[in-house]
């Protein structure tokens, strides 16, 4: 590896946060180059650095990777966090795709017009308690193991715990009736690399709000 | 594969189409199961198969897989269509992810707009294809001058690009007018498995029609993300 991976994004969670979590959990140090203005984004686009003219973009191993999923797949594979064979990988993919749908609701929350946000938050909470939390609690219950797939840590566990943290920022009571998920959260949080990432001063980004989102949307000329 | 994979979805195009294309291109025989009634959907739900409340499902190699990308990733790996190493695989993933975004617009968004917005929506999708996506693939082919997108070998990325091109042409026959290399690329339709899939009578579904939409609206509430 030439140097540390370089993450190109704005200084906020958005779609890059899952990548930060995964790199951190894998113990990989990384650098960040923050977009602060529309011109910064223009420059990346004009450089030909962004295949689909979008960020996130991660410079890693001599490549400029785009598409969040492709980036996460690559990092997980490289660091043995993607199951032991293609069957385990398929299960992990199934779970993380469900999580991506769920995460999309968080990411888009403050992008909705102000008057729609209460309704969107209510929908997020409802889907969380009716669909997503039960689905993953059930997976853990079905095999009684410590991790979602293959009795071994994978990106699915890390991404799930990321989402649990995000959702507890909105409403800590939502996970009350999901003991196995709470146990997973504790287990993952105690991994030395994750523990470090959860500490103040790490590269983990704070929750987004209306104000930070307004700033961000300006960068994307939205 | 012990038994043929079984695909579950509604009769009509939708996300399952991506899976159909890949299976067909890889020459894998499969069984198509359709939901015609609410009862069939509810049975799957009761059996505990619908983790995330969705109805696109494949039974294969002893697993019940959901989520389009999970299914496609597994099939591509199994059928040796996902590159020879991790670097090729990430390249394929970038292309297919970008391409899937475009095709989801065609298949999962535009057809569900209200009648007065639908035409406009399709026009926009075609525009996006011509300005945003197709130029990228034209450039990739131009840069390496090979027949396939990655590693000089037929892969999942090629299957999907062809699928996107044909879908685009259904909406606008001139969609490739500015892309000479993509026009040449279209010749992969002559690969025997693909040629067979493109013939009438194959499992390939026609563009969305009213039968599909009425069934969905009256029987179920399916939310596409």
């Amino acid at each position: 590896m030439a140097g540390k991976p370089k993450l190109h994004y704005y200084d906020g969670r958005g779609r890059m946060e899952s990548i930060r979590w995964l790199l951190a959990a894998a113990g990989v140090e990384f650098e960040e180059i923050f977009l602060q203005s529309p011109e910064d984004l223009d420059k990346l686009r004009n450089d030909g650095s962004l295949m689909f003219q979008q960020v996130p973009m991660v410079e890693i191993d001599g490549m400029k990777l785009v598409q969040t999923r492709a980036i996460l797949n690559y990092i997980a594979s490289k660091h043995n966090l993607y199951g032991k064979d293609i069957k385990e990988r398929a299960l992990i993919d199934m779970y993380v795709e469900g999580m991506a749908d769920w995460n999309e609701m968080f990411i888009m929350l403050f992008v909705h017009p102000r008057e729609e946000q209460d309704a969107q938050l209510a929908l997020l909470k409802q889907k969380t308690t009716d669909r997503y939390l039960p689905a993953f609690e059930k997976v853990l219950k079905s095999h009684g193991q410590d991790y979602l797939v293959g009795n071994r840590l994978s990106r699915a566990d890390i991404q799930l715990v990321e989402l649990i943290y995000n959702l507890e920022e909105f409403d800590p009571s939502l996970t009350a009736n999901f003991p196995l998920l709470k146990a997973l959260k504790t287990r993952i949080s105690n991994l030395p690399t994750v523990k470090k990432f959860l500490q103040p001063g790490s590269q983990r980004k704070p929750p987004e709000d209306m104000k930070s989102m307004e700033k961000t949307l300006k960068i994307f000329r939205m | 594969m012990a038994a043929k994979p079984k695909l579950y979805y509604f009769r009509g195009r939708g996300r399952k189409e991506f899976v159909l294309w890949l299976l067909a291109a890889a020459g894998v025989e499969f069984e198509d199961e359709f939901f015609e009634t609410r009862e069939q959907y509810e049975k799957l739900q009761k059996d505990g198969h619908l983790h995330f409340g969705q109805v696109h499902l494949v039974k294969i190699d002893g697993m019940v897989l959901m989520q389009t990308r999970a299914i496609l990733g597994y099939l591509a790996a199994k059928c040796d269509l996902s590159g020879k190493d991790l670097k090729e695989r990430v390249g394929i993933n970038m292309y297919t992810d970008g391409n899937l975004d475009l095709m989801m617009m065609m298949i999962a968004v535009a057809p569900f707009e209200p009648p007065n917005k639908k035409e406009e929506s399709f026009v926009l999708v075609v525009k996006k294809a011509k300005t945003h996506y197709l130029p990228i693939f034209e450039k990739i082919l131009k840069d390496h001058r090979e027949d396939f997108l990655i590693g000089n070998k037929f892969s999942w990325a090629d299957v999907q690009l062809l699928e996107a091109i044909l879908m685009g042409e259904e909406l606008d026959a001139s969609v490739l007018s500015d892309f000479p290399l993509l026009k040449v690329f279209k010749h992969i339709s002559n690969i025997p498995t693909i040629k067979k899939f493109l013939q009438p009578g194959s499992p390939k579904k026609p563009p969305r029609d009213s039968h599909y939409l009425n069934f969905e609206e009256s029987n179920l509430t399916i939310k596409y993300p």
Side-chain angles (χ1 to χ4, degrees), chain A residues 9-17 20 34 205-206 208 216:
Chain A
Y9 206 59
Y10 65 89
D11 187 4
R13 284 186 184 173
R15 295 175 196 289
M16 187 63 98
E17 193 72 354
R20 295 182 185 111
F34 295 121
K205 301 294 172 275
E208 261 147 346
T216 299

Side-chain angles (χ1 to χ4, degrees), chain A residues 61 77 87 89 94 131, chain B residues 52 61 66 87 89 136:
Chain A
D61 298 341
S77 298
K87 277 195 164 188
R89 202 163 88 205
M94 192 165 72
R131 175 180 284 193
Chain B
F52 306 116
D61 296 343
M66 271 149 287
K87 278 208 169 185
R89 198 168 93 212
I136 295 166

Side-chain angles (χ1 to χ4, degrees), chain A residues 51-52 61 63 65-67 69-70 73-74 77 86-87 89-90 93-94 97-98 101 131 135-136 138, chain B residues 48 51-52 54 61 64-67 69-70 74 77-78 86-87 89-90 93-95 97-98 132 136:
Chain A
M51 183 180 290
F52 297 102
D61 298 341
M63 300 177 288
L65 297 185
V66 295
Q67 294 289 346
R69 285 175 171 92
N73 287 4
Y74 182 77
S77 298
I86 62 171
K87 277 195 164 188
R89 202 163 88 205
D93 275 345
M94 192 165 72
E97 283 300 313
D101 291 344
R131 175 180 284 193
F136 294 113
K138 188 173 171 200
Chain B
H51 286 291
F52 306 116
Q54 289 149 333
D61 296 343
V64 178
L65 282 185
M66 271 149 287
Q67 296 290 351
R69 285 173 167 99
Y74 179 73
K78 231 199 125 136
L86 185 53
K87 278 208 169 185
R89 198 168 93 212
V90 75
N93 281 346
M94 282 199 285
Y95 300 160
D97 276 351
H132 211 82
I136 295 166

Side-chain angles (χ1 to χ4, degrees), chain B residues 105-202:
Chain B
M105 282 186 247
M106 291 184 197
I107 244 187
V109 178
F112 291 91
E113 298 277 25
N116 56 329
K117 276 195 81 189
K118 200 182 293 204
E119 190 58 43
E120 186 191 319
S121 196
F122 277 121
V123 165
L124 250 127
V125 165
V126 169
K127 186 162 176 235
K128 205 131 209 216
K130 283 171 136 168
T131 55
H132 211 82
Y133 290 94
L134 294 176
I136 295 166
F137 294 106
E138 179 79 8
K139 181 171 190 292
I140 290 167
L141 292 171
K142 190 171 183 190
D143 285 347
H144 60 43
R145 291 284 168 179
E146 289 165 6
D147 293 339
F148 304 108
L149 284 170
I150 277 215
N152 207 16
K153 195 178 118 136
F154 182 55
S155 80
W156 170 25
D158 302 301
V159 176
Q160 261 196 246
L161 178 56
L162 178 63
E163 190 182 353
I165 288 171
L166 293 178
M167 248 192 238
E169 285 183 334
E170 274 168 9
L171 296 175
D172 177 349
S174 73
V175 78
L176 287 189
S177 53
D178 298 332
F179 306 109
L181 294 179
L182 288 177
K183 281 197 203 147
V184 172
F185 175 81
K186 246 185 99 179
H187 293 162
I188 70 166
S189 312
N190 290 322
I191 291 176
T193 47
I194 297 183
K195 196 171 191 168
K196 190 171 162 202
F197 187 61
L198 290 172
Q199 246 128 47
S202 90

